[in-house]
Amino acid sequence: MATRTVTIASSVGLHARPAALFVEAASNTGLDVEIAKPGEDPVDATSILGVMALGAKYGEEVVLTAEGDGADEALDSLVALLSRDLDAE
Amino acid sequence: MATTEPSAQSDPQSGPETRQGIGVSPGTAYGPVVQVAPPVRPPANEPAVDDQEAALGDVKAAFEAVAVSLEERATRVEDTAQQILKATALIARDKGLVKAAAKQLEAGKGRANAIEGAIEQYAAQFEALGGYFAERVADLRDVGSRAVAAVLGVPAPGVPHFTEPSVVVAEDLAPAETATLDRALVVGIITEAGGRTSHTAILAAQMGIPAVVQLTGATSIESGTHVALDGDTGEVTIEPDLELVEQQRARAARRTEALGRLSGAGATSDGLGVALLANIGGVDDAVSAGALDLEGVGLFRTEFVYLSATKAPTVEEQTQIYRDVFAPFEGRRVVVRTLDAGADKPLKFADLGPEENPALGRRGLRLSAERPDLLDAQLEALAIAARETGADVRVMAPMVATAEEAAWFARRVRENGLPKAGVMIEVPGAALRARDVLGEVDFGSLGTNDLAQYTMAADRMQGALSDLLDPWQPAVLDVVGLACEGAKTVERPIGVCGESAGDPLLALVLVGLGVTSLSMAPSKVPVVRLALSLHTEAECQRLAQIARGSRTAVDAMGAVREAASSELTDLL
């Protein structure tokens, strides 16, 4: 199982447009990707409602996990996505 | 297919029926009615399902159908609206909703109730999170209502798909619904509910779509019926004859021509300058108003900076926003209203608890008094952004009632390096003692919506009390008059930033009472500029006397309309 920790760079946090872009990218990996706040229960990263309900704000850390072929590469691309200010783009 | 020609089928005895609503966005429109379907609720007595697997399949198909229709709508609209619709489609496709619905089915609910149960489960979660998330609950419930309609096989709620220029009619329009309307196809908007300051009214005026609100029986007009509406007078005519439609069109054309002849600073015909300003509520508004022929901003509402935030926005975050708002107004004035929240607009990070009478509670400057740290951060950010952009920034406080409050605010504004401090005059007590209150600051601005609410003891949120909230109420005009007298005594300018400033006849009365600037929805500036250009200062004063001398609001408006220049009233 691959795991990454990343800090949310979007100024509005992980909701609105950033959340939609993240969920889309997670779905496109075709893998079972989960996202969690450190120490909390993970949610399905392809669920917009689950991701929004996490309430991850700007500057907070989240933990991504994925299993299967290409999990490392998939998570690297998702980490890169969350490290940008998606709302400003 | 309905024709765009007026029908000849109206009752020859009575002629076409004309109903009176409240005009909130100027211009005339004519076209077939498109009724917005109300939200669909699941039936109360829906039986449990026999075959849960098949039922879950139906639920999945319903959500998928909603997603597909939203995506299809998204292809027909632009930018912001497209993003809203795509994000909503993503919600409809959420696996979590299907899982939650499956549990509801297992628990013995029927298909439609299972959908609503699943939606409400997330809605509760989002509402608990507050701020931005709570605002998304409307989108979530919209998805639910559409899925319920799909599973029940009834028409979807919301604005249906249409291809002919039409008049959209609804009980009321949700903000997202209004924002996603296609301006090329929506020639007019009519709502049965809403008020002069409702969301529909504000958005329609900003989008430049003629609109009438508070039209009794609007939702029972059949789709396809042709109506003519006048967003100035509030008149709606059902199946009008060709002549009336032509009259309205001709008047609109004359109006467009007359408005096009004038430009520049507002002034009476004898040269008394009256600044014409815009009311704005965000960066988008600032950019669009900045491109227009007006003298600046008379009311910049800053709530949006705070309402969706879960923690107090930092000075840096705020500076960035204010810079973007001020930039289009280099060399022009921007009057900023400091944070007007609390009570009915609670902040996640400064909630003082629920109140019995939020309109009379700890809101506006009263909240700032309890949390001066919030006010100081805002003033600091405003000062930095003002220096960097070269806009003539003036700051005013909402809900000021006394001279002490005004003095306290002015001191804080100056300590933060901002040159001009003012106060909103919206509490009748402050209006009556304007001499003392304004003596402490550099200027005043009458918020006529709240001033009417407090003078007439009528809740602004109560559509049914609209008559009491009419800014033509002679009592409200008396209070405005007294405030202007107080301002004159201490030689302070006093503006109006309520929607009454955008009514051309009322604008004349306000100037006659002593008001020195008018701030309104930007689309209303040209007609007010025209009204001023056709009257002298003395004529405005006479109109003010006529209005204050009237016994009722209706009499006041009628008498002023009668006495104003026919060159103006012919166009209204």
Side-chain angles (χ1 to χ4, degrees), chain B residues 13-225:
Chain B
Q13 303 283 299
S14 58
E17 182 196 353
T18 296
R19 298 187 199 169
Q20 187 67 50
I22 298 175
V24 291
S25 178
T28 62
Y30 172 73
V33 163
V34 168
Q35 283 284 356
V36 175
V40 181
R41 294 292 319 278
N45 54 356
E46 194 184 28
V49 296
D50 298 328
D51 182 346
Q52 285 191 9
E53 209 167 305
L56 189 60
D58 292 346
V59 167
K60 272 185 194 163
F63 279 124
E64 180 60 22
V66 171
V68 167
S69 92
L70 288 167
E71 281 164 352
E72 199 268 323
R73 264 174 73 196
T75 62
R76 296 196 303 261
V77 296
E78 291 172 28
D79 310 341
T80 320
Q82 192 168 65
Q83 280 182 26
I84 293 172
L85 291 170
K86 277 188 175 166
T88 314
L90 214 49
I91 293 177
R93 281 235 169 75
D94 203 295
K95 282 180 280 184
L97 277 178
V98 175
K99 278 185 202 153
K103 287 204 181 113
Q104 301 270 339
L105 287 170
E106 277 167 35
K109 286 201 181 171
R111 291 171 178 80
N113 279 289
I115 291 172
E116 193 182 62
I119 293 284
E120 286 309 313
Q121 200 177 313
Y122 278 101
Q125 219 175 332
F126 278 31
E127 271 168 352
L129 285 167
Y132 173 85
F133 299 99
E135 289 169 28
R136 296 281 75 74
V137 169
D139 299 337
L140 195 53
R141 292 213 168 105
D142 183 44
V143 166
S145 177
R146 285 169 188 280
V148 167
V151 88
L152 293 175
V154 301
V159 182
H161 180 46
F162 59 97
T163 52
E164 185 186 1
S166 302
V167 176
V168 169
V169 182
E171 173 66 24
D172 204 356
L173 284 171
E177 242 163 6
T178 316
T180 54
L181 289 176
D182 182 345
R183 289 178 205 208
L185 285 178
V186 180
V187 297
I189 296 172
I190 300 173
T191 65
E192 182 144 354
R196 288 174 195 277
T197 52
S198 68
H199 223 95
T200 305
I202 291 165
L203 277 172
Q206 276 168 5
M207 293 167 83
I209 301 174
V212 172
V213 300
Q214 288 269 313
L215 188 80
T216 309
T219 50
S220 31
I221 304 172
E222 259 178 68
S223 283
T225 307

Side-chain angles (χ1 to χ4, degrees), chain B residues 54-400:
Chain B
L56 189 60
D58 292 346
V59 167
K60 272 185 194 163
F63 279 124
E64 180 60 22
V66 171
V68 167
S69 92
L70 288 167
E71 281 164 352
E72 199 268 323
R73 264 174 73 196
T75 62
R76 296 196 303 261
V77 296
E78 291 172 28
D79 310 341
T80 320
Q82 192 168 65
Q83 280 182 26
I84 293 172
L85 291 170
K86 277 188 175 166
T88 314
L90 214 49
I91 293 177
R93 281 235 169 75
D94 203 295
K95 282 180 280 184
L97 277 178
V98 175
K99 278 185 202 153
K103 287 204 181 113
Q104 301 270 339
L105 287 170
E106 277 167 35
K109 286 201 181 171
R111 291 171 178 80
N113 279 289
I115 291 172
E116 193 182 62
I119 293 284
E120 286 309 313
Q121 200 177 313
Y122 278 101
Q125 219 175 332
F126 278 31
E127 271 168 352
L129 285 167
Y132 173 85
F133 299 99
E135 289 169 28
R136 296 281 75 74
V137 169
D139 299 337
L140 195 53
R141 292 213 168 105
D142 183 44
V143 166
S145 177
R146 285 169 188 280
V148 167
V151 88
L152 293 175
V154 301
V159 182
H161 180 46
F162 59 97
T163 52
E164 185 186 1
S166 302
V167 176
V168 169
V169 182
E171 173 66 24
D172 204 356
L173 284 171
E177 242 163 6
T178 316
T180 54
L181 289 176
D182 182 345
R183 289 178 205 208
L185 285 178
V186 180
V187 297
I189 296 172
I190 300 173
T191 65
E192 182 144 354
R196 288 174 195 277
T197 52
S198 68
H199 223 95
T200 305
I202 291 165
L203 277 172
Q206 276 168 5
M207 293 167 83
I209 301 174
V212 172
V213 300
Q214 288 269 313
L215 188 80
T216 309
T219 50
S220 31
I221 304 172
E222 259 178 68
S223 283
T225 307
H226 281 67
V227 297
L229 70 96
D230 187 323
D232 289 298
T233 61
E235 280 173 15
V236 173
T237 310
I238 295 164
E239 296 294 358
D241 53 42
L242 191 59
E243 205 181 332
L244 178 91
V245 174
E246 266 320 305
Q247 272 173 15
Q248 282 194 345
R249 267 187 202 152
R251 188 174 58 182
R254 285 204 309 276
R255 185 158 52 206
T256 308
E257 195 274 326
L259 299 183
R261 268 185 281 137
L262 287 171
S263 62
T268 58
S269 60
D270 56 340
L272 173 72
V274 180
L276 301 177
L277 308 163
N279 292 343
I280 64 169
V283 177
D284 292 350
D285 289 355
V287 171
S288 61
L292 299 175
D293 177 17
L294 37 78
E295 288 155 73
V297 170
L299 173 63
F300 166 32
R301 304 183 203 91
T302 55
E303 286 74 73
F304 79 99
V305 178
Y306 297 88
L307 288 180
S308 59
T310 46
K311 58 177 194 284
T314 64
V315 172
E316 291 71 33
E317 285 163 356
Q318 292 190 61
T319 306
Q320 179 61 48
I321 297 170
Y322 300 146
R323 211 184 276 134
D324 291 345
V325 170
F326 296 163
F329 295 96
E330 186 187 348
R332 286 188 278 179
R333 89 168 74 160
V334 179
V335 181
V336 183
R337 181 177 70 191
T338 55
L339 180 57
D340 189 12
D344 57 333
K345 289 183 274 185
L347 297 175
K348 190 91 177 146
F349 48 88
D351 194 355
L352 304 177
E355 297 190 347
E356 295 255 339
N357 286 307
L360 305 178
R362 289 178 292 175
R363 48 173 289 206
L365 187 68
R366 299 164 185 184
L367 174 67
S368 294
E370 305 220 13
R371 291 292 305 271
D373 55 313
L374 295 179
L375 179 62
D376 283 337
Q378 183 172 33
L379 292 174
E380 190 185 338
L382 287 168
I384 297 169
R387 276 196 299 276
E388 289 178 3
T389 55
D392 171 12
V393 174
R394 310 170 186 191
V395 186
M396 65 182 179
M399 279 300 275
V400 172

Side-chain angles (χ1 to χ4, degrees), chain A:
Chain A
M1 192 176 70
T3 300
R4 300 283 186 284
T5 301
V6 57
T7 303
I8 303 294
S10 289
S11 51
V12 297
L14 196 51
H15 53 64
R17 199 170 113 79
L21 289 172
F22 172 73
V23 167
E24 224 177 334
S27 305
N28 287 343
T29 64
L31 302 171
D32 283 336
V33 184
E34 291 191 320
I35 179 169
K37 285 193 179 175
E40 290 182 20
D41 284 342
V43 300
D44 181 351
T46 64
S47 159
I48 182 84
L49 293 170
V51 169
M52 282 167 62
L54 267 187
K57 299 180 195 73
Y58 170 75
E60 286 186 348
E61 282 190 343
V62 291
V63 181
L64 303 177
T65 52
E67 282 191 64
D69 283 348
D72 280 297
E73 295 76 11
L75 288 192
D76 285 340
S77 72
L78 292 175
V79 164
L81 188 75
L82 292 181
S83 307
R84 303 189 338 236
D85 185 358
L86 299 167
D87 198 51
E89 291 174 14

